């Protein structure tokens, strides 16, 4: 075991404080990573505050991890010491079910092993601890290559926010000439805009705040629709092929469904903690619309996304924070006051 410094929550109300955690010695197929940066995701906040059910404390969050390989096990072939790598939202899965065998480890039928807060049955039943730490040890099958030349801090959010938007766009086969809507312009939404543009789509951002129009255009959006303005929503009627809904707050989807053209799809990415108003089946039926959801992406697809982003010069827009600023950053994140992702500088832990 190696003792490493980390920032952890000890209760739902403790915030994050300095602590020490143990990392296992790298086994044959393990990669030990000296963490450089870790993105701050809304899931981190929900989890450590027990908003998605009771968390297992003490708990170190963080699943947008970038760092340098410091040690590898004897059996590791895909990674070498000194290489820059990433770890996203999962560090293992059963590897045997249909989903795992098809490369959709995120939908593992036994449940994927989340990067933090989950019992790791393959490694002695310890609770996984995330990336707000100096290092992490992960099986090589769940480690990604960060392409050369990519800004490591700005690449970190690709490992959750990037893949969460890339995967549904690829699943829907979005390509040149398609029209894509993105609801919400936060960490997920801003990645959705960039990736949809790079796939060749015309992008419309839906936002409740007219003040975000310039920001949306600066990120590459072609159109901005203020969703609280019924006239603007009506003008967008049946104009889109796909919509990514990144909003986790409760909202009515029906006005957005009306902006989809025949055979369009609305994909839910944000997970509200309360029930949403019902979807009108008539809207779905009359235009053969689909309403679905999507969870991050598989490991191979995450690598594909990183390579795609490198090829298209895409990274996240970030604000770098120190470990001491984590609690304040969480409060700002909850208030929607970040452009567009906070990233922890792990050297400050
Ligand atoms: Zn996340
Ligand atoms: Zn599985």
């Amino acid at each position: 075991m190696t003792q490493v410094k980390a920032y952890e929550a000890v209760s739902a109300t403790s915030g994050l404080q300095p602590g020490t955690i143990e990392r296992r010695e790298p086994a044959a197929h393990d990669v030990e990573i000296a963490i450089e940066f870790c993105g701050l995701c809304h899931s981190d906040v929900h989890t450590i505050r027990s908003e998605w059910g009771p968390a297992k404390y003490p708990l170190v969050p963080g699943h947008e991890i970038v760092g340098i390989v410091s040690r590898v096990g004897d059996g590791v072939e895909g990674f070498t010491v000194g290489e820059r790598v990433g770890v996203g939202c999962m560090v293992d899965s059963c590897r045997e079910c249909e989903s795992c065998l098809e490369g959709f480890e995120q939908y593992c039928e036994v449940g994927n092993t989340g990067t933090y807060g989950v019992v790791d049955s393959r490694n002695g039943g310890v609770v996984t601890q995330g990336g707000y730490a100096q290092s992490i040890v992960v099986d090589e099958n769940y480690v990604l290559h960060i392409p050369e030349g990519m800004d490591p801090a700005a690449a970190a959010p690709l490992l959750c926010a990037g893949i969460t938007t890339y995967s549904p766009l690829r699943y829907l086969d979005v390509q040149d000439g398609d029209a894509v809507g993105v609801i919400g312009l936060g960490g997920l939404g801003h990645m959705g805009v960039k990736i949809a543009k790079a796939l060749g789509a015309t992008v419309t951002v839906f936002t409740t705040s007219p003040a975000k129009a310039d920001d949306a255009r600066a990120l590459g959006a072609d159109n901005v629709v203020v969703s609280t303005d019924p006239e603007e929503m009506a003008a967008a009627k049946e104009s889109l092929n796909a919509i990514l809904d990144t909003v986790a707050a409760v909202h009515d989807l029906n006005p957005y469904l009306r902006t989809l053209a025949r055979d369009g799809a609305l994909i839910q990415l944000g997970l509200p903690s309360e029930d949403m108003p019902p979807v009108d089946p008539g809207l779905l039926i009359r235009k053969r619309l689909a309403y679905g959801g999507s969870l991050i992406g598989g490991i191979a697809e995450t690598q594909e996304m990183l390579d795609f982003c490198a090829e298209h010069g895409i990274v996240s827009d970030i604000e770098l924070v120190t470990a001491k600023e984590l609690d304040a950053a969480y409060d700002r994140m909850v208030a929607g006051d970040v452009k567009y992702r906070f990233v922890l500088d792990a050297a400050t832990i």
Side-chain angles (χ1 to χ4, degrees), residues 28-64:
H29 290 282
D30 279 341
V31 176
E32 182 191 69
I33 302 159
I35 298 174
E36 299 176 288
F37 300 102
C38 185
L40 277 55
C41 174
H42 261 278
S43 307
D44 303 350
V45 183
H46 290 305
T47 304
I48 71 150
R49 293 182 178 176
S50 285
E51 291 168 357
W52 284 344
K56 297 178 174 68
Y57 303 103
L59 181 61
V60 178
H63 60 203
E64 296 180 340

